[in-house]
Amino acid sequence: MFVVSLLLASIFPIQIVPSAERNRPGANGHLSGKQGQVLWIDVPISQPKAKVSGLFLKRKIPFFPHGDTHFAGMVGIDMEDPPGMQELSITVHSDSGSDHLSYSVQIIKEDYSVQHLTLPKNTVDLDAKTLQRVQKEKKELAEAFHHIGTRPLWDGPFLEPVNGKVTGVFGSRRVINGQTRKPHSGEDIAAPKGTPVQAINKGIVAKTVDHFFSGKGVVLDHGVGLFSMYFHLSEVDVTSGQTIQKGEALGKVGATGRATGPHLHWGIHLNGSRINPYALTALPIAN
């Protein structure tokens, strides 16, 4: 099992401050996490019909009922969020009015690896037609994240999608021919071609794709702004709109798209943030 001790998610119970201090940034306390991590936020609520919403770095954070007296939300710290102190603002709407909570979140810089490569120019630079295709596919993928479900679809803890060796680490960056490339936004797991890839949790197929870089792939919607992605598949065994159970096979490992060998690229998109997939498997979600 691949273990990263620095990717442990945390639970932060939030206490409402009954004073004029409520509007001061950070009045309700302080949280911290590294780039790529997930913060699980627990808000005690006295009125069951209340509605809770959050805002972090201009990203909307949906909250959902968690038991009879609590709401919960997941705040993703994007892999490139600026280190330093940021505010998490939470609003609780109820029959008696609105209450505002403010937490200071210390974003800690992660130490990502950098790899320098020199490759033939014709294998790196894209021609105009291919570049146009790539830009179109990037927009198509972004559109898959627009739907924000009001309730979580997952069922218990999250799983790894396939067993294998991690060959491409989240956040690592390549410098090719002196040009800095975008950081690696997922985990690459090497496995034999044809190995079944399982859904990390229950969800709805938001989109299936066949893209230039990522090849054949599946995007699963797990509700409340959480999406998982599975790329470079040799086969896709699901269709858009289909409900998938946790552990159910959705495709097979392959090397489609720009891939040097059979592996799975596993990515997570959480309310506009790119997080380390292994941060999800560390969340303390009960069965």
Side-chain angles (χ1 to χ4, degrees), residues 218-274:
V218 176
V219 179
L220 279 188
D221 179 358
H222 300 286
V224 292
L226 177 64
F227 297 84
S228 59
M229 295 164 283
Y230 314 79
F231 293 138
H232 301 304
L233 303 177
S234 60
E235 296 180 28
V236 172
D237 299 326
V238 295
T239 58
S240 294
Q242 182 178 345
T243 297
I244 304 298
Q245 302 299 321
K246 180 169 68 173
E248 185 176 348
L250 50 79
K252 297 179 177 64
V253 170
T256 56
R258 278 286 185 96
T260 56
H263 72 280
L264 172 71
H265 174 93
W266 171 32
I268 301 294
H269 190 279
L270 174 60
N271 295 313
S273 59
R274 299 158 297 173

Side-chain angles (χ1 to χ4, degrees), residues 2-279:
F2 180 77
V3 179
V4 181
S5 61
L6 294 179
L7 293 180
L8 297 178
S10 302
I11 296 181
F12 298 98
I14 292 181
Q15 302 299 325
I16 296 177
V17 178
S19 69
E21 289 289 303
R22 293 177 185 175
N23 295 324
R24 178 176 58 83
N28 296 91
H30 303 276
L31 317 173
S32 66
K34 282 192 172 186
Q35 294 168 324
Q37 285 188 315
V38 180
L39 305 181
W40 177 280
I41 311 297
D42 193 47
V43 183
I45 298 296
S46 58
Q47 298 190 32
K49 294 184 179 180
K51 294 183 178 180
V52 181
S53 60
L55 191 66
F56 181 68
L57 286 171
K58 298 182 179 181
R59 299 194 291 263
K60 295 181 180 179
I61 310 298
F63 280 74
F64 48 90
H66 188 241
D68 296 332
T69 59
H70 289 76
F71 272 67
M74 294 193 297
V75 176
I77 302 178
D78 186 80
M79 61 195 307
E80 293 187 294
D81 277 343
M85 198 70 72
Q86 302 290 343
E87 182 185 17
L88 167 62
S89 175
I90 299 174
T91 302
V92 181
H93 301 278
S94 65
D95 293 339
S96 58
S98 298
D99 207 342
H100 300 280
L101 303 94
S102 176
Y103 267 68
S104 293
V105 179
Q106 177 71 40
I107 298 176
I108 303 169
K109 182 177 177 58
E110 181 61 280
D111 185 19
Y112 297 126
S113 62
V114 178
Q115 183 181 18
H116 293 264
L117 298 173
T118 301
L119 300 174
K121 183 179 177 62
N122 62 351
T123 65
V124 176
D125 297 334
L126 304 180
D127 58 54
K129 183 178 180 180
T130 303
L131 182 59
Q132 185 178 22
R133 174 189 172 182
V134 168
Q135 291 173 339
K136 180 181 178 181
E137 291 172 347
K138 181 180 179 181
K139 181 179 180 181
E140 177 188 353
L141 187 60
E143 290 173 351
F145 304 136
H146 287 174
H147 177 262
I148 306 298
T150 58
R151 61 186 181 88
L153 301 177
W154 62 76
D155 179 20
F158 288 83
L159 308 174
E160 282 185 296
V162 69
N163 292 323
K165 180 181 179 181
V166 175
T167 57
V169 179
F170 175 84
S172 59
R173 190 185 297 271
R174 285 181 171 180
V175 179
I176 302 177
N177 298 347
Q179 297 182 6
T180 301
R181 301 289 168 161
K182 292 182 179 180
H184 193 242
S185 58
E187 294 279 358
D188 286 346
I189 305 176
K193 181 180 179 181
T195 302
V197 176
Q198 64 179 356
I200 62 171
N201 220 315
K202 182 180 178 181
I204 296 173
V205 179
K207 188 177 287 292
T208 62
V209 301
D210 189 354
H211 287 173
F212 178 79
F213 278 118
S214 55
K216 296 179 181 180
V218 176
V219 179
L220 279 188
D221 179 358
H222 300 286
V224 292
L226 177 64
F227 297 84
S228 59
M229 295 164 283
Y230 314 79
F231 293 138
H232 301 304
L233 303 177
S234 60
E235 296 180 28
V236 172
D237 299 326
V238 295
T239 58
S240 294
Q242 182 178 345
T243 297
I244 304 298
Q245 302 299 321
K246 180 169 68 173
E248 185 176 348
L250 50 79
K252 297 179 177 64
V253 170
T256 56
R258 278 286 185 96
T260 56
H263 72 280
L264 172 71
H265 174 93
W266 171 32
I268 301 294
H269 190 279
L270 174 60
N271 295 313
S273 59
R274 299 158 297 173
I275 65 168
N276 191 312
Y278 285 106

